[in-house]
Amino acid sequence: MNNLISAVLLAAVAFLVCEAGNPCCSEPCQNRGVCTALGSDDYECDCTRTGFYGQNCTTPEFLTWIKVTLKPSPNTVHYLLTHFKGFWNIVNNISFLRDFIMRYVLTSRSHFIDSPPTYNSDYGYKSWEAYSNLSYYTRALPPVSDDCPTPMGVVGKNELPDAKLLAEKLLLRRQFIPDPQGTSLMFGFFAQHFTHQFFKSDLKKGPAFTLAKGHGVDLSHIYGDNLERQHKLRLFKEGKLKYQMLDSEMYPPTVKDAGVEMHYPPHVPEADRFAVGHEAFGLVPGLMMYATIWLREHNRVCDVLKEVHPDWDDERLFQTTRLILIGETIKIVIEDYVQHLSGYHFKLKFDPELLFNQRFQYQNRIASEFNTLYHWHPLMPDSFHIEAREYSYKEFVFNNTVVTEHGINNLVESFSKQIAGRVAGGRNVPGPVMYVSIKSIEHSRQMRYQSLNAYRKRFSMKPYTSFTDLTGETEMAAILEELYGHVDAVELYPGLLVEKPRQNAIFGETMVEMGAPFSLKGLMGNPICSPEYWKPSTFGGKVGFDIVNSASLQKLVCNNVRGPCPVASFHVPDVKDTGSMIINSSTSHSGDINPTVILKKRTTEL
């Protein structure tokens, strides 16, 4: 009965919209059905392989009805996985149960992602161009048609709210809100460093285009995104990358010595202009810290391989080491990084063999929505605490001396102890990086993203029915209603940041349920995870395979620092003690420079 009422209402809305031009603007086709306009007064829904049928794909087939009836909600699943620790400890120690659950996690998440890709920002229908042109980000949902009555389709106001006003009212930090999940700055800088190998918008062409050629984990942020840059960063001896020694420790070479382009403002001395794979990683010391760790790891692994394979030439040592570091990265991301984000008591596992008998494609295309949702600037604090010193944003940006003076050991220890900000819940973007949030809103509009609720439906979540349902409170809900007029008109990026967080969590439901499929498909779709690649010989034999299979954040750090190894963690040791130190710092540093303004044309994603 409810399905019948829903179908009637959808048909009625579609009929009313017909007079405005495009009947598909009302999104009449449900459950991932594809709408095709038949002139200006009719449409048809393609329900093929959706598990539903009917005019608007709203009537479930029998097996679909059983599946939908029995399937728990995402919040229920999240609750089960983040509670009952004793039960999950048992599961984690029973191999076949752990493997079964991990396989389900991987397949259920990755099946949300279209492979091969379907749309881009210029083609809201299937086209060869959308598939073959790798200079575009792909799209999870097609853009809102430019002939729709409103920017969000058929609901909401005729004009979207001013981006700056929207950001100031709902996103700008009033007071630092620490992450209740206990996320550390070590996590925040890892997120930034890791993702910018594949989030690299070509803003000369527009935000719908990417400069990243690999569309996944290729470590181009370490090795450069083209062969010319890679060659300039290589030593061409024993497979190693160029480096310099400072106080008996290895650091990246200078721009002068490497001869590669990096983005530094004029005031940075030549000796402090380090050269690494990503041209913008001189922006903050947290990025250069990770760049230095991975440089050391590459050269360390080269030494390990050289000892086992003394007959190998420079090229083979380099290429095999790169594959090993890709494997290390994916294992660390799944078992340390995603594990922390999830908050699960179930222990995630990186094991490509779990998918060898599954329907799975070893390819990936980065979606623009994934790029947009990953703008987690609320993670950043008001100031940065390293050893006994506090750095403002003005003192921190473009300052590689922070790295060399404190050393990698002290940076790791300090960033592991300082708590990051909560991402969901609104009003936690630091003033110095507000510019990036405003640009994110503007870029989303250029690409004509569908609404937050449209994406919730796309990823099998129930759409929010009211503004208070979205925010979990009344003040921001009232502002949203004033700005947008209808909950179905709330934009994706602002909606993700003001969405009510899950209990004691860093994110809201939509961020997790939408982001996880992109993440896991991108990681497990990597070529090294395929049956043809995932074998010891790919990684130089048992020694290289063991490096991949035993990788962890802690081990990565310990293998590449001098002296006692600091605790390296994505979780602060004590949330309350650490958080109190940060909360007492100034709330916005509004007088600091905006670090993105200097490079705003090239680094708006940082």
Side-chain angles (χ1 to χ4, degrees), residues 193 196-197 200 211-213 218-234 241-242 252-253 255 258 260-264 274-282 287-288 290-292 294-295 318 322:
H193 186 269
H196 279 79
Q197 62 190 300
K200 201 173 182 183
L211 291 165
K213 299 173 177 62
D218 60 1
L219 304 196
S220 58
H221 61 327
I222 297 173
Y223 302 108
D225 60 3
N226 59 71
L227 195 59
E228 180 184 6
R229 189 177 183 91
Q230 178 201 115
H231 283 177
K232 289 181 178 180
L233 291 169
R234 285 176 60 177
L241 295 171
K242 290 179 180 177
V255 170
V260 299
E261 179 188 357
M262 291 289 292
H263 296 164
Y264 289 104
F274 292 169
V276 295
H278 195 296
E279 60 271 20
F281 276 5
L287 295 174
M288 196 56 69
Y290 275 112
T292 301
W294 283 113
L295 165 68
F318 172 82
R322 182 172 185 166

Side-chain angles (χ1 to χ4, degrees), residues 162-174 427 434 438 441 479:
D162 177 75
K164 184 179 179 183
L165 176 67
L166 173 64
E168 289 176 347
K169 285 192 171 187
L170 295 170
L171 306 185
L172 178 64
R173 176 175 293 164
R174 274 62 169 168
R427 294 177 174 170
M434 267 293 291
I438 295 169
I441 296 169
I479 295 172

